[in-house]
Amino acid sequence: MPRIRTAPLGLAVATVTLALALVPPPAAATTDAGPGGGAGGPGGAVEDARLDRAVPREILRRSGFDTVAPEFARALAGAGSYREAERTVERQGARLWRRAVDRAQGRGPAIGDLGRGDDRPLYWARLGMIRELRSWQPDFAVGDAARARLIDRLERSSRGQDSIHHPAGKGFRKVLLTGFDPFTLDRDVRIGNPSGATALALDGTWIRTADGGRARVETAVFPVRWADFADGTVERALRDTLPRVDLFTTVSQGRVGRFDIERYNGAWRGGFPDNENLSRTGTVPVADPATQPQWTTTTLPHRAIVAAETGPFPVYDNTAVTEVPAGSAGPVTRPDGPTAGSTARAGGGGDYLSNEIAYRATLLRDRLGLAALPGGHVHTPVLRFGAGNTDPATGAVTDPEFERERAAIVAQVRAIIGVAAASS
């Protein structure tokens, strides 16, 4: 009988509530930003300011993506109307996404010496484009709301969110996978995110499933910003797609040295600062809160995934949660899921945006009447630099261990999808 791994008993609250983030919040975190995380659209001054550091400039230069923002600025300068600007933004955003996907999948020239599977050039190049769009001064009037709409179009197109298109036909399984931007960049601005790297590596690919069939994978990447989630970016991207797929999984970076299939997702935001150094604490804001459940559950075939040999990292069926039991005043950690009537304080994936994307995607699944659709969240191992490259101030932006571990994580996610698709 296959051995089913579960989260260790007695898991501490501090461990359960880890999700995308594994470090204390920066002291300068604030909680008073409005929708969009900053003036004029998604993102804002904090993310933009990091572009001026040496490491992002090096990542852009060594990948050849240092030309993206200047080329975008020149194209934008040629727009003679707002309608032309819209077309330019959508075209250039989609071009960036496709360029990053092609680079990750080995297509086109290998410009620069940075590893082709690296997700960081996409993130920093997008921020450069957004900076150009914020400072753009055309001959025609563009108000704050109109500029914000352009930034939103750029975000969506450069993240693959508006290009999720599975081919027509039968005889194969349609899979949707999402990843995230890098985060905790004030701790170490060199950081990448293996979930974003996986999205780039798998977008538009065919994989062989464990039962010998085929699956087509389409992907998208999401920001690490509370406000974007409150504004419905997940639901907007996935609402039309979920009814047309056979399997979906949201993916994010989680714990050191292990994969987790998160069994339960909680309706709670724990407040860890996002990429704009903004915090949010409280119930996950969704439409129709009167019918909002405290918990949603994975429908991924977690037993089959955990039992399979998918790669070098152990894979756990994580059933731990933190809840306030019905009739109680304080939170407790439970190793085997929530109790009836409890209030969520952390899902298996914690109380950050990885838990939230899992909660939102599975809640959307249920509200669309797709309760039987296999879907849930996969946490990858933390992507780390080599043992001699741990100082953010003096360390290199990449090293052989960093490259090997990213490739191993991506390959294991691919194998996990192959098992999940065959078992669904």
Side-chain angles (χ1 to χ4, degrees), residues 388-410:
N389 185 26
T390 57
D391 187 341
T394 61
V397 300
T398 190
D399 59 53
E401 184 174 336
F402 183 81
E403 298 292 332
R404 285 194 301 270
E405 191 157 282
R406 183 181 61 228
I409 292 170
V410 170

Side-chain angles (χ1 to χ4, degrees), residues 116-136:
R116 295 191 70 137
D118 204 314
D119 65 303
R120 297 172 295 176
L122 171 63
Y123 175 72
W124 294 113
R126 182 191 302 115
L127 282 181
M129 293 175 72
I130 291 173
R131 173 184 279 185
E132 295 292 347
L133 191 47
R134 289 187 193 283
S135 62
W136 172 57

Side-chain angles (χ1 to χ4, degrees), residues 224-275:
V224 183
R225 295 190 297 252
W226 293 110
D228 294 70
F229 277 55
D231 290 344
T233 186
V234 174
E235 291 82 358
R236 181 172 60 178
L238 303 189
R239 182 174 291 109
D240 292 337
T241 301
L242 290 190
R244 298 198 295 265
V245 301
D246 301 301
L247 171 78
F248 71 91
T249 182
T250 53
V251 182
S252 66
Q253 179 176 261
R255 301 165 179 89
V256 174
R258 59 184 276 182
F259 277 87
D260 288 280
I261 311 302
E262 307 296 357
R263 187 84 72 87
Y264 303 103
N265 316 299
W268 185 256
R269 298 175 143 194
F272 189 91
D274 63 10
N275 273 351

Side-chain angles (χ1 to χ4, degrees), residues 11-212:
L11 199 63
V13 173
T15 302
V16 174
T17 56
L18 291 180
L20 288 168
L22 300 168
V23 295
T30 60
T31 59
D32 56 355
V46 173
E47 279 191 297
D48 286 358
R50 296 190 187 105
L51 270 169
D52 297 322
R53 300 182 188 181
V55 165
R57 293 199 301 271
E58 180 181 352
I59 289 171
L60 289 171
R61 176 180 56 80
R62 292 179 61 182
S63 62
F65 278 52
D66 54 344
T67 63
V68 169
E71 289 171 358
F72 174 64
R74 289 192 292 271
L76 198 58
S81 67
Y82 187 79
R83 182 66 62 89
E84 288 183 16
E86 285 182 313
R87 290 195 291 266
T88 296
V89 165
E90 289 183 353
R91 183 169 59 251
Q92 293 286 326
R95 180 183 178 188
L96 174 60
W97 173 254
R98 183 48 48 193
R99 179 174 173 178
V101 168
D102 286 347
R103 186 175 191 275
Q105 297 181 18
R107 292 187 291 271
I111 300 174
D113 64 348
L114 207 62
R116 295 191 70 137
D118 204 314
D119 65 303
R120 297 172 295 176
L122 171 63
Y123 175 72
W124 294 113
R126 182 191 302 115
L127 282 181
M129 293 175 72
I130 291 173
R131 173 184 279 185
E132 295 292 347
L133 191 47
R134 289 187 193 283
S135 62
W136 172 57
Q137 296 297 326
D139 294 334
F140 50 92
V142 178
D144 288 346
R147 193 180 299 267
R149 288 194 296 272
L150 291 176
I151 294 173
D152 181 67
R153 285 176 182 265
L154 177 58
E155 287 269 358
R156 293 179 64 195
S157 60
S158 66
R159 295 178 178 281
Q161 293 177 7
D162 59 1
S163 59
I164 303 170
H165 303 302
H166 289 89
K170 298 180 180 180
F172 63 93
R173 297 174 178 91
K174 300 178 177 69
V175 177
L176 171 66
L177 178 146
T178 69
F180 272 106
D181 288 347
F183 67 105
T184 63
L185 294 160
D186 290 332
R187 183 190 72 170
D188 187 345
V189 75
R190 303 174 301 161
I191 284 173
N193 195 320
S195 70
T198 299
L200 293 177
L202 298 188
D203 186 52
T205 63
W206 293 88
I207 67 172
R208 183 65 61 183
T209 61
D211 61 353

Side-chain angles (χ1 to χ4, degrees), residues 251-337:
V251 182
S252 66
Q253 179 176 261
R255 301 165 179 89
V256 174
R258 59 184 276 182
F259 277 87
D260 288 280
I261 311 302
E262 307 296 357
R263 187 84 72 87
Y264 303 103
N265 316 299
W268 185 256
R269 298 175 143 194
F272 189 91
D274 63 10
N275 273 351
E276 281 290 305
N277 288 345
L278 302 175
S279 298
R280 294 290 184 270
T281 303
T283 302
V284 171
V286 298
D288 194 12
T291 66
Q292 178 179 11
Q294 285 295 301
W295 306 98
T296 63
T297 305
T298 189
T299 45
L300 290 173
H302 50 87
R303 291 183 177 86
I305 294 171
V306 170
E309 295 297 329
T310 53
F313 299 99
V315 183
Y316 290 88
D317 173 20
N318 186 20
T319 59
V321 299
T322 300
E323 66 174 13
V324 178
S328 299
V332 298
T333 300
R334 292 181 52 82
D336 54 355

